[in-house]
């Protein structure tokens, strides 16, 4: 039985390889990875690392990967925060709020993500006003048909040095926050980390002032027909980040609500009997225990969010999937490109689950 | 750091255990937080008023493209383009065939809802029904005109892709799950490799793989058309996820069941079909329906490789230059159809779960 299975598999793979070889020679497609070092000669519309068309195919992949990671990081971060709000709202005794959150979750979970992305993209590119009449929901932030404009950091001479110092100090601030609040419940930890970060911000602003303001904020301003200055998010990026965040937050909200519901009822009753307020029960007794239940499903949700970023193809944001597709169209080297994409996504999956497993082991109940 | 809030809470008068029902006014404005939340909720609702105005008050319900000027949604567009969105490029004079396919799928699904009818005969009926659907869509026999798959489109394609990919994936998933749980190391290695590889890739990547790689892997004379390649990718993807769900069901099964069957000398496949699978699948009905919903939503991704499903049809309908770019309305229409399908499945799943619970605990 085993031998037959193994033999069949070997034959099957051999047959596939033979076909592939025949097809490749017939179409005159070269194989091998040396194409990676040739210049790519195609544009990538936006990226967080520097790219121009004379860079190599390898660098194009890196640019796509950087965009994927940036998109994943932002949408996971925003979706987790929004999801916490949604989950807690659904659990709350407040009728308006819980109905509202319930509708939000039901609607968003039952409509495909790609439909939502195209919907947001359609809104961003057809219903938003021209720059002259741009919506201004927050000071310094403008929504218009050309994209979303927000204040940007401006870097003067000597800024990179200051940024390195700032990053170093931020790590110290976070570590110090956790050290000081070791053994305390979650909100106290958050409060002390927040306090240390405030100190950090003040220190950085002061340092910056001492050095003659190499780092500052620049707000976008309407000049002529468009905005000048500041940071601009393309309609593609704005649509995909909005869509991913909102869609994922509905799922995360349900995971958090499920985790809270799974905590034994006796814990609520016991805490109420002790006269703790509902808020204290939630943040000090229920949430820390729910965290243990929440972490494994949250891991798979984060992973599928990373994989969902490939849907950005639909609105034309150049993440890894779009770059790989363009490369295949340009060079015909499908097998190599797909192997690279496979390797990248498998390593992202494995590292996210490794990190979450480590975190899970930290919060898990220790049975002695 | 001292904890200030804790002291005030301890000094506060002892609350009775949560009352059965509080008066609404107290729920809404009972304490500072509730009042704040009420104001917040009202603000959110007020924030949605422009959207409501756009969709209802300022909307255009009658007339042609010329009537859709100014702000407001253009619902007349949906009326004018419903045929294109629902049936794609399917020849209009043959449209009744696509309509029958939709009715057939919906009817078959409705018939299959009752757990009492779940037996081998239902499987046979499904096989016949699917063959009938493919004949109806494709034609070329029985005096029906031939319609190539490149002309298929809209809702029938979405439904067919969902039903076929789930139907083909389920047996594959059972094999993969059994392989992963089984005693044969080679079968286990193959199953784990396939499941983890497919689950590690995004579906978009898998669709590209199928669209580009499949013609390279197969002999030149075996041409698989675009719809077939997409279906292959969706099937493999669904199989990997369903396999993990079924594995969960197998793990939840009492070992004694298998041991007893082995002791009675029941052959392996009979044991699997009559003893293991019915119990294992009953255990995992909620995640199975969840996966089904996910797969139905996933059929919308075929837009990326250029298959003309409902979503692509809506997208191309909204590019008609005669209309003032009504893509938002088109997507809302598609979203509503998906919502109705997926939401009904989740309601049905809850109903089914209650039935199982009543039988096992009642």
């Amino acid at each position: 039985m085993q031998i037959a299975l193994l033999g069949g598999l070997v034959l099957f793979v051999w047959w596939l390889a033979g076909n592939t070889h025949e097809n490749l020679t017939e179409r005159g497609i070269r194989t091998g990875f040396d194409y990676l070092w040739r210049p790519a000669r195609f544009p990538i519309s936006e990226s967080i690392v520097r790219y121009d068309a004379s860079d190599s195919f390898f660098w194009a992949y890196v640019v796509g990967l950087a965009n994927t990671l940036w998109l994943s990081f932002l949408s996971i971060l925003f979706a987790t925060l929004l999801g916490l709000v949604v989950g807690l709202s659904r659990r709350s005794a407040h009728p308006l709020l819980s109905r509202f959150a319930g509708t939000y979750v039901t609607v968003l979970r039952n409509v495909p993500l790609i439909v939502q992305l195209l919907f947001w993209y359609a809104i961003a590119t057809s219903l938003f006003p021209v720059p002259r009449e741009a919506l201004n929901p927050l000071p310094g932030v403008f929504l218009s048909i050309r994209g979303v404009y927000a204040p940007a950091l401006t870097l003067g001479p000597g800024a990179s040095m200051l940024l390195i110092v700032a990053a170093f100090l931020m790590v110290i601030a976070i570590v110090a926050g956790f050290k000081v609040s070791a053994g305390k419940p979650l909100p106290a930890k958050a409060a002390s980390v927040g306090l240390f970060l405030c100190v950090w911000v003040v220190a950085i602003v002061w340092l910056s002032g001492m050095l003659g303001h190499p780092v500052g904020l620049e707000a976008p301003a309407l000049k002529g027909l468009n905005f000048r200055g500041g940071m601009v998010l393309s309609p593609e990026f704005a649509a995909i980040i909005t869509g991913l965040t909102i869609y994922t937050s509905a799922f995360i909200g349900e995971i958090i609500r499920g985790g809270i519901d799974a905590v034994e009822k006796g814990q609520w009753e016991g805490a109420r009997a002790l006269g703790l307020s509902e808020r204290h029960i939630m943040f000090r007794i229920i949430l820390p225990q729910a965290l243990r239940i929440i972490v494994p499903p949250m891991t798979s949700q984060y992973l599928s969010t990373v994989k969902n970023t490939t849907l950005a193809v639909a609105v034309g944001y150049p993440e890894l999937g779009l770059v790989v597709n363009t490369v295949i169209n340009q060079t015909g080297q499908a097998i190599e490109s797909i192997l690279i994409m496979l390797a990248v996504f498998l390593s992202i999956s494995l590292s996210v689950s490794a990190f979450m497993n480590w975190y899970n082991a930290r919060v898990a109940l220790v049975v002695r | 750091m001292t904890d200030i809030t804790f002291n005030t809470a301890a000094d506060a008068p002892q609350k009775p255990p949560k009352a059965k029902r509080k008066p609404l006014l107290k729920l809404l404005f009972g304490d500072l937080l509730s009042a704040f939340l009420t104001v917040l909720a009202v603000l959110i609702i007020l924030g949605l008023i422009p959207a409501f105005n756009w969709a209802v008050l300022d909307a255009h319900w009658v007339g042609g493209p010329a009537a859709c000027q100014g702000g407001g949604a253009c619902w007349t567009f949906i009326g004018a383009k419903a045929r294109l969105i629902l049936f794609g490029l399917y020849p209009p004079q043959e449209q009744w065939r696509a309509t029958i396919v939709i009715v057939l799928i919906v009817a078959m699904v409705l018939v299959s809802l009752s757990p009492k009818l779940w037996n081998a005969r239902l499987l046979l009926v499904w096989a016949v029904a699917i063959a009938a659907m493919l004949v109806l869509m494709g034609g070329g026999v029985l005096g029906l005109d031939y319609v190539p798959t490149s002309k298929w489109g809209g809702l029938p394609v979405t439904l067919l892709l969902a039903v076929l990919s789930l139907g083909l994936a389920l047996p594959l998933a059972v094999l993969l799950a059994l392989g992963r749980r089984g005693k044969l190391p080679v079968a286990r290695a193959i199953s784990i490799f396939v499941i983890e590889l497919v689950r590690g890739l995004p579906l978009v990547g898998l669709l590209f793989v199928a669209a580009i790689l499949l013609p390279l892997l197969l002999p030149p004379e075996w041409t698989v058309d675009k719809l077939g390649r997409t279906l292959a990718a969706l099937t493999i993807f669904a199989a990997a996820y369903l396999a993990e769900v079924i594995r969960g069901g197998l793990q939840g099964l009492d070992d004694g069941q298998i041991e007893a069957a082995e002791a009675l000398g029941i052959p392996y496949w009979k044991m699997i079909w009559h003893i293991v699978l019915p119990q294992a699948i009953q255990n995992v009905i909620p995640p199975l329906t969840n996966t089904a919903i996910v797969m139905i939503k996933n059929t919308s991704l075929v837009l990326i490789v250029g298959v003309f499903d409902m979503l692509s049809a809506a997208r191309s309908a909204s590019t008609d230059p005669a209309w003032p770019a009504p893509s938002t309305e088109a997507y809302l229409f598609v979203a509503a159809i998906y919502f109705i399908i997926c939401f009904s499945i989740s309601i049905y799943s809850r109903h089914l779960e209650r039935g199982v619970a009543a039988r096992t605990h009642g």
Side-chain angles (χ1 to χ4, degrees):
Chain A
M1 177 75 187
Q2 294 253 38
I3 293 165
L5 204 59
L6 198 61
L9 186 73
V10 168
L11 272 180
F12 180 66
V13 170
W14 187 67
W15 179 74
L16 287 183
N19 286 329
T20 312
H21 184 68
E22 195 181 318
N23 283 322
L24 286 178
T25 45
E26 201 174 286
R27 295 175 197 197
I29 299 174
R30 285 194 304 164
T31 50
F33 285 95
D34 46 339
Y35 76 99
L36 281 177
W37 312 111
R38 297 206 308 266
R41 296 210 188 85
F42 65 85
I44 292 181
S45 59
E46 56 186 305
S47 63
I48 59 163
V49 289
R50 200 192 53 77
Y51 171 85
D52 65 71
S54 61
D55 284 324
S56 63
F57 282 109
F58 174 76
W59 190 248
Y61 284 139
V62 173
V63 170
L65 176 62
N67 281 347
T68 293
L69 292 178
W70 177 234
L71 196 59
S72 315
F73 171 74
L74 285 184
S75 41
I76 284 178
L77 180 71
F78 294 149
T80 307
L81 296 177
L82 191 57
L84 187 66
V85 174
V86 172
L88 290 180
S89 308
R90 276 207 79 179
R91 274 301 271 95
S92 89
H94 194 282
L96 265 179
L97 207 62
S98 62
R99 299 264 163 79
F100 197 76
T103 319
Y104 176 89
V105 168
T106 317
V107 169
L108 290 173
R109 292 215 312 168
N110 285 310
V111 173
L113 174 58
I114 191 168
V115 178
Q116 298 187 26
L117 289 180
L118 289 174
F119 173 78
W120 293 118
Y121 188 55
I123 286 191
T125 52
S126 70
L127 291 186
F128 273 4
V130 294
R132 198 178 288 280
E133 296 153 12
L135 303 174
N136 192 355
L138 292 171
V141 177
F142 296 93
L143 304 177
S144 84
I145 201 161
R146 302 258 180 97
V148 177
Y149 293 82
L153 279 179
T154 51
L155 302 178
S160 52
M161 200 57 204
L162 186 66
L163 281 184
I164 293 172
V165 174
F168 184 66
L169 283 178
M170 180 167 77
V171 173
I172 292 184
I174 292 176
V175 170
F178 274 114
K179 273 269 178 324
V180 165
S181 59
K184 286 194 184 144
L186 216 55
K189 269 186 199 172
S192 49
V193 172
L195 187 80
F196 275 87
L197 281 180
C198 287
V199 173
W200 167 77
V201 168
V202 171
I204 291 303
V205 170
W206 178 72
L207 253 178
S208 174
M210 289 281 287
L211 298 168
H213 288 288
V215 177
L217 272 182
E218 186 198 28
L222 190 64
K223 285 211 182 91
L225 287 176
N226 207 346
F227 286 97
R228 293 276 179 279
M231 175 175 59
V232 56
L233 304 177
S234 67
E236 288 82 23
F237 188 75
I240 179 120
I241 200 88
T242 312
L244 264 179
T245 301
I246 291 183
Y247 179 81
T248 313
S249 74
F251 285 85
I252 289 183
E254 281 299 273
I255 291 173
I256 289 174
R257 184 182 72 107
I260 293 172
D261 283 348
V263 175
E264 224 183 310
K265 236 169 81 187
Q267 299 282 334
W268 284 98
E269 286 160 1
R272 281 201 194 106
L274 287 173
L276 292 179
S277 80
E278 295 287 312
R279 239 153 293 148
H280 274 94
I281 302 175
M282 180 58 92
F283 284 104
R284 308 211 155 182
I285 294 171
I286 305 300
L287 268 187
Q289 298 185 68
L291 209 57
R292 296 182 184 130
I293 304 159
I294 289 170
V295 168
M298 205 71 128
T299 311
S300 13
Q301 191 56 49
Y302 285 171
L303 278 179
S304 59
T305 307
V306 174
K307 288 188 249 164
N308 278 341
T309 57
T310 48
L311 296 192
V313 172
V315 295
Y317 178 75
E319 45 65 65
L320 187 62
L322 188 71
V323 171
V324 166
N325 199 25
T326 316
V327 171
I328 292 175
N329 286 337
Q330 294 248 323
T331 63
Q333 296 195 299
I335 298 176
E336 296 85 348
S337 306
I338 283 167
L339 279 178
I340 289 175
M341 183 161 79
L342 190 67
V344 166
F345 274 102
L346 282 182
S347 36
I348 292 177
S349 297
L350 292 178
S351 32
V352 171
S353 35
F355 173 77
M356 290 303 274
N357 282 340
W358 168 81
Y359 184 68
N360 192 24
R362 277 205 50 167
V363 296
L365 200 62
V366 181
V367 181
R368 273 183 247 272
Chain B
M1 252 176 283
T2 50
D3 200 337
I4 309 151
T5 47
F6 188 79
N7 294 331
T8 53
D11 294 339
Q14 298 247 325
K15 262 191 190 167
K18 205 169 170 185
K20 277 262 187 282
R21 229 188 140 85
K22 283 189 193 171
L24 192 62
L25 207 65
K26 198 168 175 210
L27 257 182
L28 291 182
F29 295 100
D31 58 53
L32 213 59
L33 184 72
S34 310
F36 171 72
L37 290 178
T38 308
V39 172
L40 192 71
V42 169
L43 278 181
I44 292 176
I45 292 168
L46 283 181
L48 288 176
I49 283 183
F52 177 76
N53 282 343
W54 175 84
V56 182
L57 295 184
D58 296 345
H60 308 277
W61 301 91
V62 284
C68 281
Q69 297 305 325
C74 182
W75 298 120
T76 52
F77 167 79
I78 300 298
K81 295 284 180 182
R83 198 202 79 78
L84 184 57
I85 296 176
L86 290 180
F87 296 104
L89 299 174
Y90 209 75
Q93 69 276 12
E94 304 289 337
Q95 198 174 297
W96 56 273
R97 283 156 56 181
T99 317
I100 295 183
V101 169
I102 297 179
V103 172
L104 208 57
I105 292 183
V106 173
M108 282 304 295
V109 170
L110 286 180
V111 165
S112 319
L113 287 186
S114 162
K116 278 182 205 127
L117 293 174
W118 292 355
N119 50 33
R121 202 181 305 150
L122 186 69
L123 280 181
L124 199 70
V125 175
W126 261 107
V128 172
I130 284 175
M133 289 169 204
L134 294 178
V135 167
L136 266 173
M137 281 301 279
V141 285
L142 302 172
L144 295 170
D145 284 341
Y146 174 65
V147 181
T149 52
S150 57
K151 290 270 182 206
W152 297 15
L155 188 57
V157 166
T158 296
L159 292 177
L160 272 177
L161 280 175
V163 168
L164 284 178
S165 64
L166 281 171
L168 295 174
L170 200 58
L172 200 59
V174 168
L175 285 183
L176 283 174
L178 287 175
R180 194 166 184 168
R181 288 278 295 163
K183 296 190 188 78
L184 308 174
V186 175
R188 193 160 59 222
I190 296 174
S191 305
I192 292 178
F193 179 73
V194 170
I195 293 174
E196 294 305 330
L197 194 69
V198 173
R199 276 161 44 95
L201 260 184
L203 179 55
V204 175
L206 208 62
L207 285 169
F208 282 146
V209 172
I212 297 162
L213 222 50
L214 219 52
L216 288 179
L217 292 178
L218 297 175
E221 57 274 15
W222 293 19
T223 48
V224 189
D225 70 352
K226 205 193 273 168
L227 202 62
R229 294 197 291 252
T230 329
L231 181 61
L234 284 175
T235 305
I236 297 278
F237 191 76
Y241 281 84
L242 287 175
E244 286 296 275
V245 171
I246 293 173
R247 181 166 77 111
L250 294 176
Q251 279 174 353
L253 199 66
D254 199 338
D255 283 341
Q257 297 279 331
I258 296 173
E259 282 160 15
E262 276 168 355
L264 286 172
I266 297 175
Y268 180 75
W269 288 109
K270 269 199 168 155
M271 171 181 85
I272 295 291
W273 181 252
H274 291 292
I275 297 169
V276 173
L277 279 184
Q279 299 186 62
I281 288 186
Q282 203 170 63
N283 284 341
V284 289
I285 282 176
L288 270 185
T289 48
N290 269 343
T291 316
I293 294 176
V294 169
M295 280 315 292
I296 289 170
K297 291 198 288 173
N298 278 342
T299 56
S300 55
L301 295 187
V302 300
L303 161 120
I304 286 170
V305 289
V307 169
F308 209 63
D309 74 325
M310 187 167 53
L311 182 59
S312 338
R315 184 155 83 160
S316 71
S318 61
T319 54
D320 185 344
W323 296 82
S327 31
T328 319
E329 292 87 332
Y331 294 137
L332 279 177
F333 179 63
V334 172
I337 295 179
Y338 271 109
F339 178 80
I340 292 170
I341 298 174
C342 298
F343 190 53
S344 343
I345 297 179
S346 68
I347 289 176
Y348 170 66
S349 143
R350 249 174 272 160
H351 158 81
L352 210 58
E353 237 178 287
R354 272 201 297 274
V356 171
R359 246 174 301 146
T360 43
H361 304 299

